[in-house]
Amino acid sequence: MIKLFRKCITTLKIKLYSRNNKININTSFISIYELENKILKLSEGCYIGREVRLSGNISIGKYTSISDGPTEINAEKCKIKIGNFCSIGRNFFPRTSSHYINLLSTSAHLLHVLDSERDNFISLGDIEIGHDVWIGANVTVIGNVKIGNGAIIGAGSIVTKDIPPYSINVGNPARVVKYRFADTVIKEVERSEWWNLELHELQLIKNKFFESIDISEI
């Protein structure tokens, strides 16, 4: 009964926080403490689906959507930064820590039982995801990786190194199979930085998002 009461209070606080900050949060697997203390930063207009777990030093840009889970994004040791207008599929798994492989045992649980004051995981590094990135379902991203603006990561891929802007990537490990645009167009889109515009400014050029690019008018 007490656990149910606490869950209801947490859900109510998250809904209130969502309304006050113009965010659409549909999960209760978020720490209200981390939200209120800016450890977990969610920007205006972003959508967090059901069964999505967020914990640690995470920042999510405006109008980015994370599909219904199961999805776990944990950044207790490192930082995870996700840009504006990104689309992230279900079961996204960014991995910022790993087991030790140069010790007598690989068991993180054993290390914690033996000495809870010592680290039982090794840090892999921060993860930075640019703006307008589309990540398909069941994608894993290993720490110390940067995914460029406008990139696409195909479903089931495992990202182990930096991803160039506007590239399409698939596989294990993920590799570039093609680019969305020619180099000249990519440079112009990057220069435009449209993802930093306010929503009312994007409304003025909304037709450009429903037709082939005429980069000179962005």
Side-chain angles (χ1 to χ4, degrees):
M1 182 64 74
I2 294 176
K3 287 184 179 180
L4 180 60
F5 177 74
R6 287 176 178 173
K7 184 176 181 180
C8 290
I9 293 297
T10 299
T11 301
L12 184 61
K13 286 182 176 180
I14 289 174
K15 286 183 177 180
L16 184 61
Y17 184 92
S18 299
R19 186 178 65 184
N20 292 340
N21 292 275
K22 299 179 181 179
I23 301 167
N24 192 344
I25 301 176
N26 297 280
T27 180
S28 60
F29 300 115
I30 291 179
S31 166
I32 192 67
Y33 172 84
E34 291 184 348
L35 281 174
E36 293 176 340
N37 288 274
K38 307 299 182 182
I39 300 168
L40 170 61
K41 306 177 187 70
L42 304 179
S43 301
E44 179 181 344
C46 66
Y47 173 90
I48 309 298
R50 291 181 289 272
E51 295 188 56
V52 174
R53 297 174 181 267
L54 302 175
S55 63
N57 194 343
I58 302 167
S59 90
I60 298 176
K62 60 184 182 180
Y63 294 95
T64 280
S65 65
I66 301 179
S67 298
D68 293 346
T71 292
E72 181 175 353
I73 303 177
N74 185 326
E76 291 183 348
K77 290 184 175 294
C78 301
K79 297 178 182 178
I80 297 176
K81 181 179 180 181
I82 302 173
N84 302 332
F85 303 102
C86 292
S87 305
I88 298 179
R90 64 182 293 134
N91 200 27
F92 171 58
F93 185 45
R95 187 66 176 168
T96 59
S97 61
S98 184
H99 295 251
Y100 285 99
I101 62 173
N102 59 341
L103 303 181
L104 181 61
S105 173
T106 61
S107 172
H109 180 60
L110 172 61
L111 295 179
H112 178 75
V113 170
L114 293 175
D115 190 341
S116 62
E117 297 299 319
R118 296 190 189 185
D119 286 339
N120 59 338
F121 284 103
I122 186 171
S123 172
L124 296 176
D126 298 341
I127 292 174
E128 182 177 348
I129 298 171
H131 305 290
D132 195 40
V133 172
W134 175 19
I135 296 178
N138 304 308
V139 167
T140 298
V141 178
I142 305 301
N144 196 31
V145 158
K146 181 176 181 180
I147 299 177
N149 296 329
I152 297 174
I153 313 296
S157 298
I158 298 181
V159 179
T160 60
K161 61 182 181 180
D162 290 354
I163 299 295
Y166 296 91
S167 60
I168 299 175
N169 305 262
V170 297
N172 176 16
R175 65 191 186 284
V176 178
V177 293
K178 64 183 295 186
Y179 285 83
R180 293 175 57 194
F181 310 124
D183 288 344
T184 53
V185 175
I186 290 174
K187 290 177 182 178
E188 290 297 328
V189 176
E190 290 277 74
R191 192 178 298 120
S192 76
E193 295 187 353
W194 65 262
W195 43 82
N196 289 326
L197 296 176
E198 297 298 328
L199 195 60
H200 71 272
E201 295 174 305
L202 292 175
Q203 286 284 353
L204 299 175
I205 57 170
K206 65 181 180 180
N207 289 338
K208 294 301 174 185
F209 292 89
F210 296 93
E211 60 186 32
S212 297
I213 291 179
D214 181 356
I215 203 66
S216 64
E217 297 184 30
I218 290 183

